Coordinates of all heavy atoms in Angstrom, one line a residue:
M28 N 0.7 1.2 -14.7 CA 1.0 2.5 -15.3 C 2.4 2.9 -14.9 O 2.6 3.3 -13.7 CB -0.1 3.5 -15.0 CG 0.1 4.8 -15.7 SD -1.1 6.0 -15.1 CE -0.4 6.4 -13.5
N29 N 3.4 2.9 -15.8 CA 4.7 3.2 -15.4 C 5.0 4.7 -15.7 O 4.5 5.2 -16.7 CB 5.7 2.3 -16.1 CG 6.2 1.2 -15.2 OD1 5.9 1.2 -14.0 ND2 7.0 0.3 -15.7
C30 N 5.8 5.3 -14.9 CA 6.2 6.7 -15.1 C 7.1 6.8 -16.3 O 8.0 6.0 -16.5 CB 6.9 7.2 -13.8 SG 7.7 8.8 -14.0
E31 N 6.9 7.8 -17.1 CA 7.7 8.0 -18.3 C 9.1 8.5 -18.0 O 10.0 8.3 -18.8 CB 7.0 8.9 -19.3 CG 5.9 8.3 -20.0 CD 5.1 9.3 -20.9 OE1 5.7 10.4 -21.2 OE2 4.0 8.9 -21.3
I32 N 9.2 9.1 -16.9 CA 10.5 9.7 -16.6 C 11.5 8.7 -16.0 O 12.6 8.5 -16.4 CB 10.4 10.9 -15.6 CG1 9.5 12.0 -16.2 CG2 11.7 11.5 -15.2 CD1 9.0 13.0 -15.3
C33 N 11.0 7.9 -15.0 CA 11.9 7.0 -14.2 C 11.5 5.6 -14.5 O 12.1 4.7 -13.9 CB 11.8 7.3 -12.8 SG 10.3 6.9 -12.0
N34 N 10.4 5.3 -15.3 CA 10.0 3.9 -15.5 C 9.5 3.2 -14.2 O 9.7 2.0 -14.1 CB 11.1 3.1 -16.2 CG 10.5 1.9 -16.9 OD1 9.4 1.9 -17.3 ND2 11.4 0.9 -17.1
G35 N 9.1 4.0 -13.3 CA 8.5 3.4 -12.0 C 9.6 3.1 -11.0 O 9.3 2.5 -10.0
N36 N 10.8 3.5 -11.3 CA 11.9 3.1 -10.3 C 12.0 4.2 -9.2 O 12.6 3.9 -8.1 CB 13.3 3.1 -11.0 CG 13.3 2.0 -12.0 OD1 12.9 0.8 -11.7 ND2 13.8 2.3 -13.2
G37 N 11.5 5.4 -9.4 CA 11.6 6.4 -8.4 C 12.9 7.2 -8.6 O 13.0 8.3 -8.0
W38 N 13.8 6.7 -9.3 CA 15.1 7.4 -9.6 C 15.4 7.3 -11.1 O 15.0 6.3 -11.7 CB 16.2 6.7 -8.8 CG 16.0 6.9 -7.3 CD1 15.2 6.2 -6.5 CD2 16.7 7.9 -6.5 NE1 15.3 6.7 -5.2 CE2 16.2 7.7 -5.1 CE3 17.6 8.9 -6.7 CZ2 16.7 8.5 -4.1 CZ3 18.1 9.7 -5.6 CH2 17.6 9.5 -4.3
F39 N 16.2 8.2 -11.6 CA 16.6 8.1 -13.0 C 18.0 8.7 -13.1 O 18.4 9.5 -12.3 CB 15.6 8.7 -13.9 CG 15.4 10.2 -13.7 CD1 16.2 11.1 -14.5 CD2 14.5 10.7 -12.8 CE1 16.0 12.5 -14.3 CE2 14.3 12.0 -12.6 CZ 15.1 13.0 -13.3
K40 N 18.7 8.3 -14.2 CA 20.1 8.9 -14.4 C 20.0 10.2 -15.2 O 19.3 10.3 -16.1 CB 20.9 7.8 -15.1 CG 21.7 6.9 -14.2 CD 22.7 6.1 -14.9 CE 23.7 5.5 -13.8 NZ 24.6 4.6 -14.4
Q41 N 20.8 11.1 -14.7 CA 20.8 12.4 -15.4 C 22.3 12.9 -15.5 O 23.1 12.7 -14.6 CB 20.0 13.4 -14.6 CG 19.7 14.7 -15.3 CD 18.8 15.6 -14.4 OE1 19.2 15.9 -13.3 NE2 17.7 16.0 -14.9
A42 N 22.6 13.6 -16.6 CA 23.9 14.1 -16.8 C 24.2 15.3 -15.9 O 23.3 16.2 -15.9 CB 24.2 14.4 -18.2
N43 N 25.3 15.2 -15.2 CA 25.7 16.4 -14.4 C 26.9 17.0 -15.2 O 28.0 16.5 -15.2 CB 26.1 16.0 -13.0 CG 26.6 17.2 -12.2 OD1 27.1 18.2 -12.7 ND2 26.3 17.1 -10.9
Y44 N 26.6 18.1 -15.9 CA 27.6 18.7 -16.9 C 28.7 19.3 -16.2 O 29.8 19.4 -16.7 CB 26.9 19.6 -17.9 CG 25.9 18.9 -18.8 CD1 24.5 19.0 -18.6 CD2 26.3 18.0 -19.7 CE1 23.6 18.3 -19.4 CE2 25.4 17.3 -20.5 CZ 24.1 17.4 -20.3 OH 23.2 16.7 -21.1
Q45 N 28.5 19.8 -15.0 CA 29.6 20.5 -14.2 C 30.6 19.5 -13.8 O 31.8 19.7 -13.9 CB 29.0 21.1 -12.9 CG 28.7 22.6 -13.2 CD 28.1 23.3 -12.0 OE1 27.5 22.6 -11.1 NE2 28.3 24.5 -11.9
L46 N 30.2 18.3 -13.3 CA 31.1 17.3 -12.8 C 31.4 16.3 -13.9 O 32.2 15.4 -13.7 CB 30.5 16.6 -11.6 CG 30.2 17.4 -10.4 CD1 29.5 16.6 -9.3 CD2 31.5 18.0 -9.8
E47 N 30.7 16.4 -15.1 CA 30.8 15.5 -16.2 C 30.6 14.0 -15.8 O 31.4 13.2 -16.1 CB 32.2 15.7 -16.9 CG 32.3 17.1 -17.6 CD 33.6 17.3 -18.3 OE1 34.5 16.5 -18.1 OE2 33.6 18.2 -19.1
I48 N 29.6 13.8 -15.0 CA 29.2 12.4 -14.7 C 27.7 12.2 -14.9 O 27.0 13.2 -15.0 CB 29.6 12.1 -13.2 CG1 28.9 13.2 -12.3 CG2 31.1 12.0 -12.9 CD1 28.8 12.7 -10.8
M49 N 27.3 11.0 -14.8 CA 25.9 10.7 -14.8 C 25.6 10.4 -13.3 O 26.3 9.7 -12.6 CB 25.6 9.4 -15.6 CG 25.8 9.5 -17.1 SD 24.7 10.7 -17.9 CE 23.2 9.7 -17.9
E50 N 24.5 11.0 -12.9 CA 24.1 10.8 -11.5 C 22.7 10.4 -11.3 O 21.9 10.7 -12.2 CB 24.5 12.0 -10.6 CG 23.7 13.3 -11.1 CD 24.1 14.5 -10.3 OE1 25.1 14.4 -9.5 OE2 23.5 15.5 -10.5
W51 N 22.4 9.7 -10.2 CA 21.0 9.3 -10.0 C 20.2 10.5 -9.3 O 20.7 11.1 -8.4 CB 21.0 8.1 -9.0 CG 21.4 6.8 -9.7 CD1 22.6 6.3 -9.7 CD2 20.6 6.0 -10.6 NE1 22.6 5.1 -10.4 CE2 21.4 4.9 -11.0 CE3 19.3 6.1 -11.0 CZ2 20.9 4.0 -11.9 CZ3 18.8 5.1 -11.9 CH2 19.6 4.1 -12.3
V52 N 19.1 10.7 -9.9 CA 18.2 11.8 -9.4 C 16.9 11.3 -9.1 O 16.3 10.4 -9.8 CB 18.1 12.9 -10.5 CG1 17.3 14.1 -10.0 CG2 19.4 13.4 -11.0
Q53 N 16.3 11.7 -8.0 CA 15.0 11.3 -7.6 C 13.9 11.9 -8.5 O 14.0 13.0 -8.9 CB 14.7 11.6 -6.1 CG 13.5 10.9 -5.6 CD 13.5 10.8 -4.1 OE1 14.2 11.6 -3.4 NE2 12.8 9.8 -3.5
C54 N 13.0 11.0 -8.9 CA 11.9 11.5 -9.8 C 10.9 12.3 -9.0 O 10.2 11.7 -8.1 CB 11.3 10.3 -10.5 SG 9.9 10.7 -11.5
Y55 N 10.7 13.5 -9.3 CA 9.8 14.4 -8.5 C 8.3 14.1 -8.9 O 7.5 14.3 -8.1 CB 10.2 15.9 -8.6 CG 11.4 16.2 -7.8 CD1 12.6 16.4 -8.4 CD2 11.3 16.2 -6.4 CE1 13.7 16.7 -7.7 CE2 12.4 16.5 -5.7 CZ 13.6 16.7 -6.3 OH 14.7 16.9 -5.5
D56 N 8.1 13.6 -10.1 CA 6.8 13.2 -10.5 C 6.2 12.1 -9.6 O 5.1 12.2 -9.1 CB 6.8 12.8 -11.9 CG 6.5 13.9 -12.9 OD1 7.1 15.0 -12.6 OD2 5.8 13.7 -13.9
C57 N 7.1 11.1 -9.4 CA 6.7 10.0 -8.6 C 6.6 10.4 -7.1 O 5.7 9.9 -6.4 CB 7.7 8.8 -8.8 SG 7.4 7.9 -10.3
L58 N 7.5 11.2 -6.7 CA 7.5 11.6 -5.3 C 6.2 12.4 -5.0 O 5.6 12.2 -4.0 CB 8.8 12.5 -5.0 CG 9.2 12.6 -3.6 CD1 9.7 11.3 -3.1 CD2 10.4 13.6 -3.5
A59 N 5.9 13.3 -5.9 CA 4.6 14.1 -5.7 C 3.4 13.2 -5.7 O 2.5 13.3 -4.9 CB 4.5 15.1 -6.9
Q60 N 3.4 12.2 -6.6 CA 2.3 11.3 -6.7 C 2.2 10.5 -5.4 O 1.1 10.3 -4.9 CB 2.5 10.3 -7.9 CG 1.5 9.2 -8.1 CD 0.1 9.7 -8.4 OE1 -0.1 10.9 -8.7 NE2 -0.9 8.8 -8.5
E61 N 3.3 10.0 -4.9 CA 3.4 9.3 -3.7 C 2.8 10.1 -2.5 O 2.0 9.6 -1.7 CB 4.8 8.9 -3.4 CG 5.0 7.6 -2.7 CD 6.5 7.2 -2.6 OE1 7.1 6.8 -3.6 OE2 7.1 7.5 -1.5
K62 N 3.2 11.3 -2.5 CA 2.8 12.2 -1.4 C 1.2 12.5 -1.5 O 0.5 12.5 -0.5 CB 3.5 13.6 -1.5 CG 4.4 13.8 -0.3 CD 4.8 15.2 -0.1 CE 4.2 15.6 1.2 NZ 4.9 16.4 2.1
Y63 N 0.8 12.6 -2.8 CA -0.6 12.8 -3.0 C -1.4 11.6 -2.5 O -2.5 11.8 -1.9 CB -0.8 13.1 -4.5 CG -2.3 13.0 -4.9 CD1 -3.2 14.0 -4.5 CD2 -2.7 12.0 -5.7 CE1 -4.5 13.9 -4.9 CE2 -4.1 11.9 -6.1 CZ -4.9 12.9 -5.7 OH -6.2 12.8 -6.1
L64 N -1.0 10.4 -2.8 CA -1.7 9.2 -2.4 C -1.7 9.1 -0.9 O -2.6 8.6 -0.3 CB -1.0 8.0 -3.1 CG -1.3 7.9 -4.6 CD1 -0.6 6.6 -5.2 CD2 -2.7 7.9 -5.0
E65 N -0.5 9.5 -0.3 CA -0.5 9.4 1.2 C -1.5 10.4 1.8 O -2.2 10.0 2.8 CB 0.9 9.9 1.7 CG 1.8 8.7 1.9 CD 3.3 9.2 2.2 OE1 3.4 10.3 2.8 OE2 4.2 8.5 1.8
E66 N -1.7 11.6 1.2 CA -2.7 12.5 1.7 C -4.1 12.0 1.5 O -4.9 12.1 2.4 CB -2.5 13.9 1.0 CG -1.4 14.7 1.5 CD -1.1 15.9 0.7 OE1 -2.0 16.3 -0.1 OE2 0.0 16.5 0.7
L67 N -4.3 11.4 0.3 CA -5.6 10.8 0.1 C -5.9 9.7 1.1 O -7.0 9.6 1.6 CB -5.6 10.1 -1.3 CG -6.2 10.9 -2.5 CD1 -6.3 10.0 -3.7 CD2 -7.6 11.4 -2.2
T68 N -4.9 8.9 1.4 CA -5.1 7.8 2.4 C -5.5 8.4 3.7 O -6.4 7.9 4.4 CB -3.8 7.0 2.5 OG1 -3.4 6.5 1.2 CG2 -4.0 5.8 3.5
E69 N -4.8 9.4 4.2 CA -5.1 10.0 5.4 C -6.5 10.6 5.5 O -7.2 10.4 6.5 CB -4.1 11.2 5.7 CG -2.8 10.7 6.4 CD -1.7 11.7 6.5 OE1 -2.1 12.9 6.8 OE2 -0.6 11.4 6.4
K70 N -6.9 11.3 4.4 CA -8.2 11.9 4.4 C -9.3 10.8 4.4 O -10.3 10.9 5.1 CB -8.4 12.7 3.1 CG -7.8 14.1 3.2 CD -8.1 14.9 1.9 CE -7.3 16.1 1.8 NZ -7.3 16.7 0.5
T71 N -9.0 9.7 3.6 CA -10.0 8.6 3.6 C -10.1 7.9 5.0 O -11.2 7.6 5.4 CB -9.5 7.5 2.5 OG1 -9.3 8.2 1.3 CG2 -10.6 6.5 2.3
A72 N -8.9 7.7 5.6 CA -8.9 7.1 7.0 C -9.8 8.0 7.9 O -10.5 7.5 8.8 CB -7.5 7.0 7.5
K73 N -9.6 9.3 7.8 CA -10.4 10.2 8.7 C -11.9 10.0 8.5 O -12.6 10.0 9.5 CB -10.0 11.7 8.4 CG -9.1 12.2 9.5 CD -8.9 13.7 9.3 CE -7.7 14.2 10.0 NZ -7.1 15.4 9.5
L74 N -12.3 9.9 7.3 CA -13.7 9.7 7.0 C -14.2 8.3 7.5 O -15.3 8.2 8.1 CB -14.0 9.9 5.5 CG -15.4 10.1 5.1 CD1 -16.0 11.3 5.7 CD2 -15.5 10.2 3.6
I75 N -13.4 7.3 7.2 CA -13.8 5.9 7.7 C -13.8 5.9 9.2 O -14.6 5.1 9.7 CB -12.7 4.9 7.1 CG1 -12.9 4.8 5.6 CG2 -12.9 3.5 7.8 CD1 -11.9 3.9 4.9
N76 N -13.0 6.7 9.8 CA -13.0 6.7 11.3 C -14.4 7.0 11.9 O -14.6 6.7 13.1 CB -12.0 7.8 11.7 CG -11.4 7.5 13.1 OD1 -11.5 6.4 13.6 ND2 -11.0 8.5 13.8
K77 N -15.3 7.6 11.2 CA -16.6 7.8 11.7 C -17.4 6.5 11.9 O -18.4 6.5 12.6 CB -17.4 8.7 10.7 CG -17.0 10.1 10.6 CD -17.8 10.8 9.5 CE -17.3 12.3 9.3 NZ -17.8 13.2 10.2
S78 N -17.0 5.5 11.2 CA -17.6 4.2 11.3 C -17.3 3.6 12.7 O -16.4 3.9 13.4 CB -17.2 3.3 10.2 OG -17.8 2.1 10.3
S79 N -18.2 2.6 13.0 CA -17.9 1.9 14.3 C -17.0 0.7 14.1 O -16.8 0.2 13.0 CB -19.2 1.4 14.9 OG -19.7 0.4 14.1
A80 N -16.3 0.3 15.2 CA -15.4 -0.8 15.1 C -16.2 -2.1 14.7 O -15.6 -2.9 13.9 CB -14.7 -1.0 16.5
E81 N -17.4 -2.2 15.1 CA -18.2 -3.4 14.8 C -18.5 -3.4 13.3 O -18.3 -4.5 12.7 CB -19.6 -3.3 15.5 CG -19.6 -3.6 17.0 CD -19.1 -2.4 17.8 OE1 -19.1 -1.2 17.2 OE2 -18.7 -2.5 18.9
K82 N -18.8 -2.3 12.7 CA -19.1 -2.2 11.3 C -17.9 -2.6 10.5 O -17.9 -3.3 9.5 CB -19.6 -0.8 10.9 CG -20.6 -0.8 9.8 CD -21.3 0.5 9.7 CE -22.3 0.5 8.6 NZ -23.0 1.8 8.5
L83 N -16.7 -2.0 10.9 CA -15.5 -2.2 10.2 C -15.1 -3.7 10.3 O -14.6 -4.3 9.3 CB -14.4 -1.3 10.7 CG -14.4 0.1 10.3 CD1 -13.3 0.9 10.9 CD2 -14.3 0.2 8.7
S84 N -15.2 -4.3 11.5 CA -14.9 -5.7 11.7 C -15.7 -6.6 10.8 O -15.2 -7.5 10.2 CB -15.2 -6.1 13.2 OG -14.4 -5.2 14.0
L85 N -17.0 -6.3 10.7 CA -17.9 -7.0 9.8 C -17.5 -7.0 8.4 O -17.4 -8.0 7.6 CB -19.3 -6.5 10.0 CG -20.4 -7.6 9.8 CD1 -20.3 -8.7 10.8 CD2 -21.8 -6.9 9.9
L86 N -17.1 -5.8 8.0 CA -16.6 -5.5 6.6 C -15.4 -6.4 6.3 O -15.3 -7.1 5.3 CB -16.3 -4.0 6.4 CG -16.6 -3.4 5.1 CD1 -18.1 -3.4 4.8 CD2 -16.0 -2.0 5.0
L87 N -14.4 -6.3 7.2 CA -13.2 -7.1 7.0 C -13.4 -8.6 7.1 O -12.8 -9.4 6.4 CB -12.1 -6.7 8.0 CG -11.6 -5.2 7.8 CD1 -10.7 -4.9 8.9 CD2 -10.9 -5.1 6.5
A88 N -14.4 -9.0 8.0 CA -14.7 -10.4 8.2 C -15.3 -10.9 6.8 O -14.9 -12.0 6.4 CB -15.7 -10.6 9.3
K89 N -16.1 -10.1 6.2 CA -16.7 -10.6 4.9 C -15.6 -10.8 3.9 O -15.6 -11.7 3.1 CB -17.7 -9.5 4.4 CG -19.1 -9.7 5.0 CD -20.1 -8.7 4.5 CE -21.4 -8.8 5.3 NZ -22.2 -7.6 5.1
Y90 N -14.6 -9.9 3.9 CA -13.5 -10.0 3.0 C -12.7 -11.3 3.3 O -12.4 -12.0 2.3 CB -12.5 -8.8 3.2 CG -11.3 -8.8 2.3 CD1 -11.4 -8.4 1.0 CD2 -10.1 -9.3 2.8 CE1 -10.2 -8.4 0.2 CE2 -9.0 -9.3 2.0 CZ -9.0 -8.9 0.7 OH -7.9 -8.9 0.0
C91 N -12.5 -11.6 4.6 CA -11.8 -12.8 4.9 C -12.6 -14.1 4.4 O -12.0 -15.0 3.9 CB -11.7 -12.9 6.5 SG -10.5 -11.8 7.1
V92 N -13.9 -14.1 4.7 CA -14.7 -15.2 4.3 C -14.6 -15.4 2.8 O -14.6 -16.6 2.3 CB -16.2 -15.0 4.7 CG1 -17.1 -16.1 4.1 CG2 -16.2 -15.1 6.3
N93 N -14.6 -14.3 2.0 CA -14.5 -14.4 0.5 C -13.1 -14.9 0.1 O -13.0 -15.5 -0.9 CB -14.8 -13.1 -0.1 CG -16.3 -12.7 -0.1 OD1 -17.1 -13.6 0.0 ND2 -16.6 -11.5 -0.1
K94 N -12.1 -14.5 0.8 CA -10.7 -14.7 0.3 C -10.1 -16.0 0.9 O -9.2 -16.5 0.2 CB -9.9 -13.5 0.6 CG -10.3 -12.2 -0.1 CD -9.8 -12.3 -1.6 CE -10.2 -11.0 -2.3 NZ -9.7 -10.9 -3.7
I95 N -10.4 -16.3 2.1 CA -9.7 -17.5 2.7 C -10.6 -18.7 2.5 O -11.8 -18.7 2.7 CB -9.5 -17.2 4.2 CG1 -8.7 -15.9 4.4 CG2 -8.7 -18.4 4.8 CD1 -8.5 -15.5 5.9
E96 N -10.0 -19.8 2.2 CA -10.6 -21.1 2.1 C -11.3 -21.4 3.5 O -10.6 -21.2 4.5 CB -9.6 -22.1 1.8 CG -10.2 -23.4 1.3 CD -9.2 -24.6 1.4 OE1 -8.0 -24.2 1.3 OE2 -9.6 -25.7 1.5
S97 N -12.6 -21.8 3.5 CA -13.4 -21.9 4.7 C -12.6 -22.8 5.8 O -12.6 -22.4 6.9 CB -14.7 -22.6 4.4 OG -15.4 -21.7 3.5
E98 N -12.1 -23.9 5.3 CA -11.4 -24.8 6.2 C -10.2 -24.1 7.0 O -10.1 -24.3 8.2 CB -10.9 -26.0 5.5 CG -11.4 -27.3 6.1 CD -11.0 -28.5 5.2 OE1 -9.9 -29.0 5.4 OE2 -11.8 -28.9 4.3
R99 N -9.5 -23.4 6.2 CA -8.3 -22.7 6.7 C -8.8 -21.6 7.7 O -8.2 -21.4 8.8 CB -7.5 -22.1 5.6 CG -6.2 -21.5 6.0 CD -5.3 -21.0 4.9 NE -4.4 -20.0 5.3 CZ -4.2 -18.9 4.7 NH1 -4.7 -18.7 3.5 NH2 -3.4 -18.0 5.2
L100 N -9.9 -20.9 7.3 CA -10.4 -19.8 8.2 C -10.9 -20.4 9.5 O -10.6 -19.9 10.6 CB -11.5 -19.1 7.5 CG -12.1 -17.9 8.2 CD1 -11.1 -16.9 8.6 CD2 -13.2 -17.2 7.4
E101 N -11.6 -21.6 9.4 CA -12.1 -22.3 10.6 C -10.9 -22.6 11.5 O -11.1 -22.4 12.7 CB -12.8 -23.6 10.2 CG -14.2 -23.4 9.6 CD -15.3 -23.7 10.5 OE1 -15.0 -23.7 11.7 OE2 -16.4 -23.9 10.0
T102 N -9.9 -23.1 11.0 CA -8.7 -23.4 11.8 C -8.2 -22.2 12.5 O -7.9 -22.2 13.7 CB -7.6 -24.1 10.9 OG1 -8.2 -25.1 10.1 CG2 -6.4 -24.6 11.7
M103 N -8.1 -21.1 11.7 CA -7.6 -19.9 12.3 C -8.5 -19.4 13.5 O -8.0 -18.9 14.5 CB -7.5 -18.8 11.2 CG -6.3 -18.9 10.3 SD -6.5 -17.7 8.9 CE -5.0 -16.7 9.3
L104 N -9.8 -19.6 13.3 CA -10.7 -19.1 14.3 C -10.7 -20.0 15.5 O -10.7 -19.5 16.6 CB -12.2 -19.1 13.7 CG -12.4 -18.2 12.6 CD1 -13.8 -18.4 12.0 CD2 -12.2 -16.7 13.0
N105 N -10.6 -21.3 15.3 CA -10.5 -22.3 16.4 C -9.2 -22.0 17.2 O -9.2 -22.1 18.4 CB -10.5 -23.7 15.9 CG -11.8 -24.1 15.4 OD1 -12.8 -23.5 15.8 ND2 -11.8 -25.1 14.5
E106 N -8.1 -21.6 16.5 CA -6.9 -21.4 17.2 C -6.8 -19.9 17.7 O -5.8 -19.5 18.3 CB -5.7 -21.6 16.2 CG -5.5 -23.1 15.9 CD -4.5 -23.3 14.8 OE1 -4.1 -22.3 14.1 OE2 -4.1 -24.5 14.6
K107 N -7.9 -19.2 17.5 CA -7.9 -17.7 17.8 C -6.6 -17.1 17.3 O -5.9 -16.3 18.0 CB -8.0 -17.5 19.3 CG -9.4 -18.0 19.8 CD -9.8 -17.4 21.2 CE -11.0 -17.9 21.8 NZ -12.1 -18.3 21.0
N108 N -6.3 -17.4 16.1 CA -5.0 -16.9 15.4 C -5.2 -15.4 15.0 O -5.3 -15.2 13.8 CB -4.7 -17.8 14.3 CG -3.3 -17.5 13.7 OD1 -2.7 -16.5 14.1 ND2 -2.9 -18.3 12.8
F109 N -5.2 -14.5 15.9 CA -5.4 -13.1 15.6 C -4.3 -12.6 14.8 O -4.5 -11.9 13.7 CB -5.5 -12.3 16.9 CG -5.5 -10.8 16.8 CD1 -6.7 -10.2 16.3 CD2 -4.4 -10.1 17.1 CE1 -6.7 -8.8 16.1 CE2 -4.5 -8.7 16.9 CZ -5.6 -8.1 16.4
V110 N -3.0 -12.9 15.1 CA -1.9 -12.4 14.4 C -1.9 -12.9 12.9 O -1.7 -12.1 12.0 CB -0.5 -12.8 15.1 CG1 0.7 -12.4 14.3 CG2 -0.5 -12.2 16.5
G111 N -2.3 -14.1 12.7 CA -2.3 -14.7 11.4 C -3.4 -14.0 10.6 O -3.1 -13.7 9.4
L112 N -4.5 -13.8 11.2 CA -5.6 -13.2 10.4 C -5.3 -11.7 10.1 O -5.5 -11.3 8.9 CB -6.9 -13.2 11.3 CG -8.2 -13.1 10.6 CD1 -8.4 -14.2 9.5 CD2 -9.4 -13.1 11.5
M113 N -4.7 -11.0 11.0 CA -4.3 -9.6 10.7 C -3.3 -9.5 9.7 O -3.3 -8.6 8.8 CB -3.9 -8.9 12.0 CG -5.0 -8.7 13.0 SD -6.5 -8.0 12.3 CE -6.1 -6.3 12.1
S114 N -2.3 -10.4 9.7 CA -1.2 -10.3 8.7 C -1.8 -10.8 7.3 O -1.4 -10.2 6.3 CB 0.0 -11.1 9.1 OG -0.3 -12.4 9.4
F115 N -2.8 -11.7 7.3 CA -3.4 -12.0 6.1 C -4.1 -10.8 5.5 O -3.9 -10.4 4.3 CB -4.5 -13.1 6.3 CG -5.5 -13.2 5.1 CD1 -5.1 -14.0 4.0 CD2 -6.7 -12.5 5.1 CE1 -5.9 -14.0 2.9 CE2 -7.5 -12.6 4.0 CZ -7.1 -13.3 2.9
L116 N -4.8 -10.0 6.3 CA -5.5 -8.8 5.9 C -4.5 -7.8 5.4 O -4.7 -7.2 4.3 CB -6.3 -8.2 7.0 CG -7.7 -8.9 7.3 CD1 -8.3 -8.3 8.6 CD2 -8.6 -8.7 6.1
E117 N -3.4 -7.6 6.1 CA -2.5 -6.6 5.7 C -1.8 -6.9 4.4 O -1.8 -6.0 3.5 CB -1.4 -6.5 6.8 CG -1.5 -5.2 7.6 CD -0.2 -5.0 8.5 OE1 0.7 -4.4 7.9 OE2 -0.3 -5.4 9.6
V118 N -1.4 -8.1 4.2 CA -0.7 -8.5 3.0 C -1.7 -8.4 1.8 O -1.4 -7.9 0.7 CB -0.1 -9.9 3.1 CG1 0.3 -10.4 1.8 CG2 1.0 -9.9 4.1
N119 N -2.9 -9.0 2.0 CA -3.9 -9.1 0.9 C -4.5 -7.7 0.5 O -4.7 -7.5 -0.7 CB -4.9 -10.1 1.2 CG -4.4 -11.5 1.0 OD1 -4.4 -12.0 -0.1 ND2 -3.8 -12.1 2.0
I120 N -4.9 -6.9 1.4 CA -5.5 -5.7 1.1 C -4.5 -4.7 0.4 O -4.8 -4.0 -0.5 CB -6.1 -5.0 2.4 CG1 -7.3 -5.8 2.8 CG2 -6.5 -3.5 2.1 CD1 -8.0 -5.3 4.0
R121 N -3.2 -4.8 0.9 CA -2.2 -4.0 0.3 C -2.0 -4.4 -1.2 O -1.7 -3.5 -2.0 CB -0.9 -4.2 1.1 CG 0.1 -3.0 0.8 CD 1.4 -3.2 1.6 NE 1.2 -3.2 3.0 CZ 1.9 -3.8 3.9 NH1 2.9 -4.6 3.5 NH2 1.7 -3.7 5.2
S122 N -2.1 -5.6 -1.5 CA -1.8 -6.1 -2.9 C -3.0 -6.0 -3.8 O -2.9 -6.4 -4.9 CB -1.2 -7.4 -2.8 OG -2.1 -8.4 -2.4
E123 N -4.2 -5.6 -3.3 CA -5.4 -5.5 -4.1 C -5.2 -4.5 -5.2 O -4.7 -3.5 -5.0 CB -6.6 -5.1 -3.2 CG -7.2 -6.3 -2.4 CD -8.0 -7.3 -3.3 OE1 -8.7 -6.8 -4.2 OE2 -8.0 -8.4 -3.0
Ligands
ZN26 ZN1 8.9 8.7 -11.9

């Protein structure tokens, strides 16, 4: 869903009649939407925070099992590749 004002760029060109130039202006619709989503994220995180680390770990583990090829996951586990697993989660959950 692209913004009608800035076409999803976050900025758009607008005429400045005083200086007689076109200038880039930040799109306040998108800025407001971004801020709103940030607030939603914070509120959601606060609620999820009531859960236990074990429960969250299990939830994320299920996600990994569903998304990563078993053989590759096994290798990561055998190598105790924590950094690799965490970056997999970060990249994939963000792009969902
Ligand atoms: Zn916009």
Side-chain angles (χ1 to χ4, degrees):
M28 185 187 70
N29 263 351
C30 170
E31 284 176 14
I32 300 166
C33 70
N34 200 25
N36 296 313
W38 294 79
F39 62 96
K40 268 192 167 173
Q41 193 178 55
N43 181 328
Y44 296 108
Q45 266 178 335
L46 300 174
E47 292 183 344
I48 54 163
M49 293 295 284
E50 58 184 9
W51 286 99
V52 183
Q53 192 156 21
C54 175
Y55 285 107
D56 271 41
C57 283
L58 204 63
Q60 173 71 3
E61 212 174 282
K62 250 200 115 139
Y63 167 70
L64 291 181
E65 265 171 34
E66 280 171 21
L67 262 189
T68 305
E69 274 172 35
K70 281 184 192 166
T71 308
K73 254 187 201 157
L74 195 60
I75 290 176
N76 203 24
K77 287 175 186 282
S78 178
S79 69
E81 289 77 17
K82 214 170 182 177
L83 283 176
S84 302
L85 208 62
L86 213 67
L87 291 175
K89 278 182 186 162
Y90 179 83
C91 290
V92 169
N93 284 335
K94 295 280 181 176
I95 305 175
E96 196 198 335
S97 301
E98 236 173 84
R99 189 175 152 220
L100 182 57
E101 286 257 22
T102 309
M103 286 173 115
L104 296 175
N105 289 336
E106 291 170 349
K107 297 201 187 322
N108 188 354
F109 174 72
V110 175
L112 202 59
M113 290 315 283
S114 51
F115 165 83
L116 281 172
E117 254 194 82
V118 169
N119 283 274
I120 289 178
R121 198 180 296 151
S122 65
E123 280 282 325

